[in-house]
Amino acid sequence: MSLSLPGPSQAGLFKPGYQSHDAEDGAVIRNIEACQAISQTVQTSLGPYGRNKIVINHLQKMILTSDAATILRELEVVHPAAKLLVMASQQQDAEMGDGTNLVIVLAGELLKKAEELLRLGLKTSDIVQGYEKAQNFALKVLEDLEVDRLQDLRSQTELTKALRTVVASKQSGTEQLLASLVAEAVLSVLPKNPVNFNVDNVRVVKIMGGSLEQSRVIKGMVFGREPEGSIKKAHKAKVGVFSCPIDISQTETKGTVLLKNAQDMLDFTKGEEERLEAAIKELYDSGLRVVVAGAQVGDLALHYLNRFNILVIKILSKFELRRLCRVVGATPLARLGAPMPDEMGSVDVVETTEIGGDRVTVFRQEDATAVTRTATIVLRGATQNHLDDVERAIDDGVNAVKAITKDPRLVPGAGATEIQLVERISAFADRTPGLPQHAIRKYAEAFEVIPRTLAESAGLEATEVLSRLYTAHHQANAGVKSTDGDDDDEEESEDSEEERSSGGGEAEAYWTTGVDLEGSSSSGTLDTVEEGILDLLSSKSWAIRLASESARTVLSVDQIIVARQAGGPKPPGPNPNWDED
């Protein structure tokens, strides 16, 4: 009989106010529960028919979206384990710009399956080891599931094909319109080497009113305001960018001027006018015909700028000012004066146009050899919230193009890839000896959450649809499975192509079968390749990697030690007796 000794006491080890949660207290289970809570929050927002969430942040701003990255950013999660999932989602957003929801949902499901294993008595080390093996195998299998790749990046049709699914997951119903808008904008700024594509070169301007169909692409930068003066157009002009106010310079210290009579007053103001006129004439003589101000423009300065036929526009956002400098090739100056030739920029056209009753100014570079070209998608819509959500969908689409330039491979969407992974990883688990095989099998089962959620959100009978999917994938794999789990998918896809062309076999017999969200087929399944529902392989790969990493990290934590918050006494609250005399 072994003697049970109490563990070492932490009294006197840390400063007063520390909190410690041990594995014995169920810290691992509590961490898993916290992660599941956050996973369930965003799970209903997965896919084209995912529900929107209304989040009202600490500034009382209302955000209406189904984008997981935006929801979690605005929620300000404080639980340390749940924060790990949020950080994984943010990393996916930074790397791919899409698939943030997939990371959270998959990680939450992996932890849910791990909890089942923990309750059965498996050690966390066995689960972590099994998950690691399964992850490596899943990424290897994913490489074999390629069904298509973009041959020509400069073809709008090809690009739209890849972007449709990305945009549809946020804006179902208008994906064709938005995908073609993004493709048109991207192709107008795509450099000779597509790998150098900069997502910042595609801008979005939201103008209230009209309908989404009236949205269009303008080649250039669009600012939602008119020029300040009476000059509204300029062609082939030199541009000067000033981050300082264009006005009479103010003295640093207060001074007193004693004026004895009216003549002194006239001479004083005349001197100021002459100084300012000389400064504006200096700009004109240097060849500037367009002035961009990052601060205020004085009335007197505006008068002289109009007299010298110089177009002046005010851009108060320093980020927009920086982007404009990059487009026109100018250097922002902190002083008012003639810029050096290398500090000036040039622009082909500056013009003011009207979009839906709003006057906007467009800076356009028409030269095809320009180093930096910018395209702006002008979005129209009825409400600000809707426009914001469409902007997020477009942002995902533009980021997807960046991912396509690095890896143009596509895999089946609509849950087909996930079901195929369930099949292949389960077969791998059967061949793995030892305790990790249980973890590998649970890892495979976790992927089932994606098609199940897609079916549920579309209002289908999830269990029925899943059983049909499993049957289709099992039949498709029956003839081509090899002992090492690596299939020759190229031959397989060629065979299936021949089958399709000859009209033999039903759609349900292909391993590319996914969930039919539109409800066009009675079985609730469809062939994703025929329907053009394709996901980016690189986006899926990153999502699996990040979800597995974060799940393993959460499982590896056995103790959380929280220090007392820094800071002095809390500020006094409202007086409860305020209404008493």
Side-chain angles (χ1 to χ4, degrees):
M1 180 183 167
S2 62
L3 184 65
S4 176
L5 293 170
S9 170
Q10 291 178 354
L13 181 62
F14 301 125
K15 271 187 180 178
Y18 267 83
Q19 291 177 313
S20 176
H21 307 281
D22 283 330
E24 284 76 23
D25 308 335
V28 178
I29 301 294
R30 279 214 299 275
N31 287 348
I32 291 172
E33 282 168 1
C35 294
Q36 274 183 265
I38 205 157
S39 168
Q40 282 160 7
T41 305
V42 295
Q43 188 171 331
T44 50
S45 297
L46 183 74
Y49 290 103
R51 303 291 173 264
N52 283 339
K53 302 272 186 279
I54 290 181
V55 181
I56 296 170
N57 67 8
H58 62 291
L59 299 171
Q60 297 303 299
K61 184 188 175 189
M62 188 181 90
I63 292 106
L64 186 144
T65 182
S66 62
D67 182 36
T70 309
I71 294 166
L72 296 175
R73 188 169 53 246
E74 298 298 338
L75 280 178
E76 293 187 25
V77 178
V78 293
H79 191 284
K83 251 187 177 171
L84 289 168
L85 258 65
V86 176
M87 283 155 72
S89 168
Q90 286 169 347
Q91 187 60 30
Q92 174 78 1
D93 198 26
E95 287 289 344
M96 289 289 133
D98 184 38
T100 50
N101 214 330
L102 177 60
V103 174
I104 298 282
V105 171
L106 186 55
E109 193 67 14
L110 286 170
L111 288 168
K112 183 182 171 186
K113 298 292 181 189
E115 187 184 358
E116 292 171 16
L117 292 171
L118 285 170
R119 293 195 189 281
L120 286 171
L122 250 73
K123 295 277 185 288
T124 48
S125 55
D126 292 327
I127 300 171
V128 168
Q129 193 185 343
Y131 274 12
E132 194 168 354
K133 279 184 181 174
Q135 178 201 331
N136 294 335
F137 183 75
L139 293 173
K140 209 190 302 175
V141 166
L142 200 62
E143 299 284 319
D144 297 340
L145 298 184
E146 176 197 333
V147 288
D148 199 355
R149 64 169 62 208
L150 292 194
Q151 303 299 337
D152 181 15
L153 263 182
R154 296 188 186 278
S155 155
Q156 187 165 340
T157 319
E158 284 270 292
L159 209 52
T160 307
K161 175 177 75 176
L163 295 177
R164 265 188 69 230
T165 315
V166 175
V167 178
S169 64
K170 304 283 183 297
Q171 290 293 320
S172 180
T174 54
E175 66 268 20
Q176 190 61 41
L177 168 72
L178 292 175
S180 58
L181 273 177
V182 173
E184 186 188 338
V186 166
L187 290 175
S188 66
V189 298
L190 201 64
K192 281 181 181 173
N193 182 2
V195 180
N196 297 332
F197 169 65
N198 184 2
V199 293
D200 212 32
N201 288 349
V202 177
R203 313 295 311 146
V204 175
V205 167
K206 297 166 285 188
I207 296 177
M208 293 270 282
S211 66
L212 200 59
E213 284 71 31
Q214 291 169 318
S215 304
R216 58 197 174 101
V217 175
I218 292 179
K219 289 171 184 174
M221 271 195 99
V222 177
F223 299 100
R225 62 187 302 152
E226 278 190 275
E228 302 303 306
S230 56
I231 315 299
K232 305 289 184 191
K233 278 189 178 180
H235 287 269
K236 298 282 180 190
K238 293 267 185 238
V239 183
V241 180
F242 297 95
S243 56
C244 61
I246 299 176
D247 202 356
I248 299 159
S249 54
Q250 303 288 327
T251 53
E252 284 185 17
T253 56
K254 285 189 178 179
T256 306
V257 178
L258 192 61
L259 301 171
K260 294 189 177 65
N261 51 37
Q263 189 59 42
D264 284 1
M265 179 77 168
L266 286 170
D267 292 344
F268 179 74
T269 53
K270 201 172 181 184
E272 279 193 326
E273 286 170 20
E274 284 169 0
R275 287 282 303 277
L276 194 57
E277 185 179 6
I280 303 297
K281 189 174 187 309
E282 195 184 342
L283 296 181
Y284 179 80
D285 293 340
S286 69
L288 285 188
R289 294 297 176 269
V290 176
V291 167
V292 179
Q296 67 183 36
V297 180
D299 291 341
L300 191 59
L302 195 57
H303 164 73
Y304 287 119
L305 287 162
N306 285 341
R307 189 194 281 182
F308 284 104
N309 283 340
I310 295 175
L311 183 146
V312 57
I313 182 167
K314 202 157 57 170
I315 299 171
L316 298 177
S317 163
K318 63 179 180 185
F319 300 107
E320 290 294 310
L321 202 67
R322 213 174 286 162
R323 286 187 191 103
L324 182 64
C325 285
R326 202 171 64 234
V327 170
V328 301
T331 306
L333 301 172
R335 52 165 179 80
L336 184 60
M340 304 289 286
D342 58 334
E343 292 173 334
M344 285 187 214
S346 61
V347 67
D348 292 340
V349 181
V350 181
E351 59 183 359
T352 307
T353 57
E354 192 169 312
I355 300 175
D358 287 23
R359 305 281 289 172
V360 296
T361 306
V362 182
F363 280 71
R364 201 163 62 235
Q365 297 284 34
E366 293 183 328
D367 182 10
T369 58
V371 181
T372 51
R373 284 172 295 166
T374 299
T376 302
I377 300 172
V378 178
L379 287 180
R380 309 299 311 283
T383 65
Q384 193 61 43
N385 278 320
H386 180 237
L387 285 174
D388 288 345
D389 214 26
V390 174
E391 185 187 8
R392 287 184 202 106
I394 284 177
D395 193 41
D396 282 8
V398 175
N399 278 292
V401 174
K402 181 69 178 167
I404 290 166
T405 58
K406 294 176 183 171
D407 188 351
R409 293 176 294 173
L410 301 170
V411 292
T417 302
E418 282 77 10
I419 290 286
Q420 192 62 22
L421 284 170
V422 174
E423 286 272 318
R424 305 252 187 125
I425 299 168
S426 297
F428 173 63
D430 295 339
R431 302 193 302 272
T432 307
L435 286 174
Q437 68 170 288
H438 299 293
I440 295 171
R441 193 168 285 106
K442 289 291 183 188
Y443 186 96
E445 286 172 22
F447 281 100
E448 194 186 282
V449 72
I450 305 299
R452 181 182 289 280
T453 307
L454 288 174
E456 281 172 357
S457 63
L460 303 169
E461 191 60 58
T463 313
E464 198 179 313
V465 171
L466 276 172
S467 66
R468 285 206 175 104
L469 284 177
Y470 275 126
T471 308
H473 282 255
H474 197 68
Q475 284 174 359
N477 286 341
V480 289
K481 261 185 193 171
S482 61
T483 49
D484 63 357
D486 292 324
D487 301 345
D488 189 356
D489 279 301
E490 284 177 22
E491 284 178 27
E492 183 187 333
S493 58
E494 279 170 24
D495 293 346
S496 59
E497 282 295 330
E498 282 170 26
E499 247 182 77
R500 285 190 198 106
S501 57
S502 63
E506 291 196 12
E508 282 79 4
Y510 303 128
W511 66 265
T512 52
T513 306
V515 184
D516 176 21
L517 300 176
E518 302 295 328
S520 52
S521 69
S522 57
S523 63
T525 60
L526 50 71
D527 188 345
T528 53
V529 177
E530 265 183 20
E531 296 295 324
I533 304 169
L534 303 167
D535 287 337
L536 301 184
L537 188 144
S538 53
S539 182
K540 277 262 195 287
S541 170
W542 269 101
I544 291 170
R545 201 174 284 135
L546 287 165
S548 309
E549 284 289 340
S550 51
R552 292 210 310 269
T553 309
V554 171
L555 288 171
S556 304
V557 174
D558 74 330
Q559 191 172 11
I560 298 176
I561 303 165
V562 187
R564 189 174 59 186
Q565 275 193 321
K570 285 196 171 77
N575 180 14
N577 307 321
W578 61 273
D579 57 342
E580 290 181 8
D581 292 333

